[in-house]
Amino acid sequence: MTYEEARSAMAAVGQEHIFKFWDTLDQTARAALLAQVSRIHLDDLAMLRGVLEKEHSGAAEASAAAATISEMKPAPVVELTAGQRAEMAEIGERELRAGHVAALVVAGGQGSRLGFDGPKGCYPVGPVTNAPLFAFHARKILALRNAFGAPVPFCVMTSETNDAATRAFFRDNDFFGLPEGEVFFFVQGMWPALTPDGKMLLDTPGHVFTAPDGHGGVLSALERSGVLARLRALGVTTMFYFQVDNPMVDVADPAFIGLHVARGADVSIKVCAKRDPQEGLGVAVERGGKTQIVEYTEFTDAQKNERLPDGELRYKFGSVAIHVFSIDFLEREARAGLPVHVAHKKVPHVDDSGAVVKPSSPNACKFEKFVFDSLLDAKTCVCLAFDREEEFSPVKNAEGSDSPATCRADLSRKWARWLAACGVQIPVGADGYPERPVEIDPAFARDSASLASALARNPRDIPPEGGVLLKA
Ligand code: UTP
């Protein structure tokens, strides 16, 4: 794209101002700006401006309000007995053995609350080794591959901002033991922010501010990148979806996969009991005959606190974004598109002199898609309850709840529990957490049952003090 072409294309949609520093840019900066403009789809821009107009006219609020007041009740949730779990796991294991299952981590987010300089997946969380989040995910996939003798393609969604660093990190760590050809990276879309009058913003004199298009961007990115077609060609029919920040996730849990397949579901959702009524998890509800995840901000305080006669919260089960999708459904949804959500944000930009301004109040709208909006199109959807002490402790904040400190402690506690089940006691303090950090390489044991057999095959000495580490 030449400068003249880019300028006239942008002028036609009222965005010529992004070239106002052109004369001051050197050759490299000019080339970078032209490359960025060529990546901005005019259709997307027109669509985002339409969303903005709707937002300003109040139509979006009206339809959200209408949805909120419509009839809503808790979604039915499956709680598997030990026998049912074993039955479902058998089905899931058959799928894994047949090579029908892939895993997908969404890792394109900005991780602004954690404030880590680099892709969030590179954040060190191993209680003993400081192993990064990505290591735990990849080693779990390696364990599945070893247990069931078939590849589990690992799809990693990145963003323009962290793609190169993510790929380099996997390369530098030898793909954590996975065959390189079984890791599929793909990049999600970026969208500009728009001011109230529909203008894009420059965050430097030669760069338009853009941000990832939300975890819902995964659907179109999977298709656009060709990853969906590659999975299809490999015979994959089922996708296990999870977020990068939770190293406790039971990747491609066979019982969950089995339940999804046995029910012929388009989408399945893992849900857990909320920590307290105010916990910011989306809640699984049934509305208009459909299972949906409703964000906690949509609930009134009365709804959040509503209790059943037995004292349990009425809206007890929250979603932590652990899903299974059928590949057929992902293909349909990639074409259908998802609704776009608007957030009023403080977006840094340059002033007329080219100096960066950090606004003190929201000055622009950012746009995002949410993956759970796809549920509205699902014909069959199953919710499965899980035990959060075993499977959920995310790294969201730098300190306090859901932070690296709480996550490391929860990991140690879970692995100490597994060891205790195998007869190895690690002293536990009054707070219920082990007194020494504990870490088990997922490629050594996937769960407490496989830990027992791994220790029987391969006995290990537990050192009398310091961290406890079991590596494959
Ligand atoms: P979060 O909503 O926790 O956002 O993402 P975040 O970007 O990680 O962190 P904050 O809010 O800026 O502090 C949940 C999951 O969705 C992914 C994230 O990488 C994380 O795994 N995600 C989010 C994307 O892949 N792309 C996005 O555009 C947004």
Side-chain angles (χ1 to χ4, degrees):
M1 188 178 244
T2 64
Y3 168 61
E4 286 71 26
E5 285 165 350
R7 186 158 191 139
S8 84
M10 285 294 120
V13 291
Q15 306 290 346
E16 198 176 8
H17 62 284
I18 63 170
F19 293 104
K20 74 176 161 196
F21 296 105
W22 183 259
D23 293 339
T24 68
L25 301 178
D26 63 23
Q27 286 309 324
T28 316
R30 286 180 175 186
L33 180 56
L34 288 183
Q36 192 190 18
V37 169
S38 70
R39 287 195 301 269
I40 296 173
H41 295 285
L42 294 182
D43 291 353
D44 279 1
L45 198 53
M47 180 274 293
L48 296 178
R49 290 180 81 166
V51 170
L52 190 70
E53 272 162 31
K54 206 166 154 198
E55 171 83 3
H56 287 155
S57 70
E61 272 166 43
S63 68
T68 308
I69 54 171
S70 75
E71 188 74 7
M72 174 169 94
K73 58 183 183 189
V77 171
V78 176
E79 297 185 66
L80 294 174
T81 62
Q84 290 166 332
R85 170 163 287 280
E87 201 183 313
M88 291 301 126
E90 212 173 289
I91 300 175
E93 289 173 8
R94 214 161 50 216
E95 293 299 304
L96 283 155
R97 242 175 244 116
H100 289 167
V101 183
L104 160 62
V105 64
V106 284
Q110 295 172 305
S112 41
R113 283 170 288 173
L114 181 62
F116 174 60
D117 185 19
K120 205 188 220 186
C122 306
Y123 192 88
V125 286
V128 178
T129 62
N130 268 328
L133 286 160
F134 278 136
F136 289 101
H137 305 323
R139 303 285 289 171
K140 284 178 196 177
I141 292 169
L142 181 62
L144 290 167
R145 198 181 189 287
N146 293 340
F148 301 110
V152 177
F154 184 19
C155 310
V156 182
M157 183 171 86
T158 62
S159 74
E160 243 177 48
T161 320
N162 67 19
D163 183 65
T166 303
R167 289 175 196 249
F169 193 72
F170 271 78
R171 251 193 329 272
D172 293 347
N173 287 283
D174 293 325
F175 292 80
F176 305 101
L178 283 171
E180 181 178 346
E182 292 175 17
V183 183
F184 300 169
F185 298 98
F186 65 104
V187 187
Q188 72 176 108
M190 303 286 278
W191 275 339
L194 295 177
T195 60
D197 55 351
K199 301 283 186 203
M200 298 194 293
L201 290 160
L202 289 171
D203 52 9
T204 67
H207 188 264
V208 177
F209 174 90
T210 56
D213 59 358
H215 41 63
V218 69
L219 296 171
S220 43
L222 265 175
E223 176 164 73
R224 202 177 44 235
S225 62
V227 168
L228 257 188
R230 284 170 75 190
L231 294 175
R232 179 64 94 189
L234 289 169
V236 171
T237 51
T238 303
M239 180 78 98
F240 180 88
Y241 169 103
F242 63 106
Q243 300 191 333
V244 74
D245 50 29
N246 176 24
M248 306 257 282
V249 58
D250 188 359
V251 177
D253 164 12
F256 188 32
I257 301 280
L259 179 68
H260 173 87
V261 170
R263 294 278 184 101
D266 282 334
V267 186
S268 298
I269 306 168
K270 266 200 179 175
V271 293
C272 64
K274 287 175 65 165
R275 194 161 45 203
D276 56 64
Q278 299 305 326
E279 189 180 15
L281 299 180
V283 172
V285 305
E286 211 173 72
R287 197 157 65 171
K290 292 268 179 194
T291 299
Q292 293 177 36
I293 306 293
V294 173
E295 284 199 275
Y296 89 116
T297 46
E298 273 194 54
F299 280 76
T300 62
D301 266 342
Q303 285 170 323
K304 283 182 196 160
N305 289 296
E306 195 178 338
R307 302 250 170 205
L308 298 171
D310 64 2
E312 289 276 15
L313 285 177
R314 177 154 193 251
Y315 293 103
K316 164 179 159 181
F317 286 109
S319 163
V320 299
I322 298 174
H323 308 308
V324 177
F325 292 100
S326 80
I327 294 286
D328 286 345
F329 179 73
L330 286 176
E331 281 178 349
R332 286 203 304 275
E333 276 302 282
R335 286 190 292 269
L338 292 176
V340 177
H341 297 261
V342 181
H344 298 263
K345 294 280 180 183
K346 295 181 220 167
V347 176
H349 58 97
V350 291
D351 63 14
D352 286 342
S353 72
V356 176
V357 179
K358 289 197 170 157
S360 54
S361 57
N363 59 326
C365 285
K366 281 169 82 172
F367 303 91
E368 272 193 309
K369 291 180 280 191
F370 299 154
V371 75
F372 51 77
D373 282 332
S374 65
L375 284 173
L376 283 174
D377 297 328
K379 289 195 198 77
T380 318
C381 176
V382 190
C383 297
L384 174 65
F386 74 93
D387 174 3
R388 65 190 289 162
E389 292 201 343
E390 277 289 304
E391 298 180 35
F392 182 56
S393 184
V395 178
K396 295 277 184 199
N397 307 308
E399 281 171 6
S401 63
D402 298 337
S403 65
T406 55
C407 179
R408 286 190 194 107
D410 288 337
L411 283 166
S412 276
R413 186 169 57 162
K414 158 173 156 160
W415 285 320
R417 213 168 34 239
W418 289 10
L419 282 168
C422 299
V424 180
Q425 300 298 336
I426 307 291
V428 169
D431 58 2
Y433 286 89
E435 287 172 354
R436 300 157 59 188
V438 183
E439 185 172 328
I440 298 178
D441 175 2
F444 184 72
R446 292 191 300 120
D447 48 31
S448 68
S450 64
L451 179 61
S453 37
L455 285 174
R457 275 195 315 272
N458 197 348
R460 299 290 172 95
D461 288 331
I462 304 295
E465 54 191 36
V468 176
L469 174 66
L470 296 181
K471 275 186 76 68

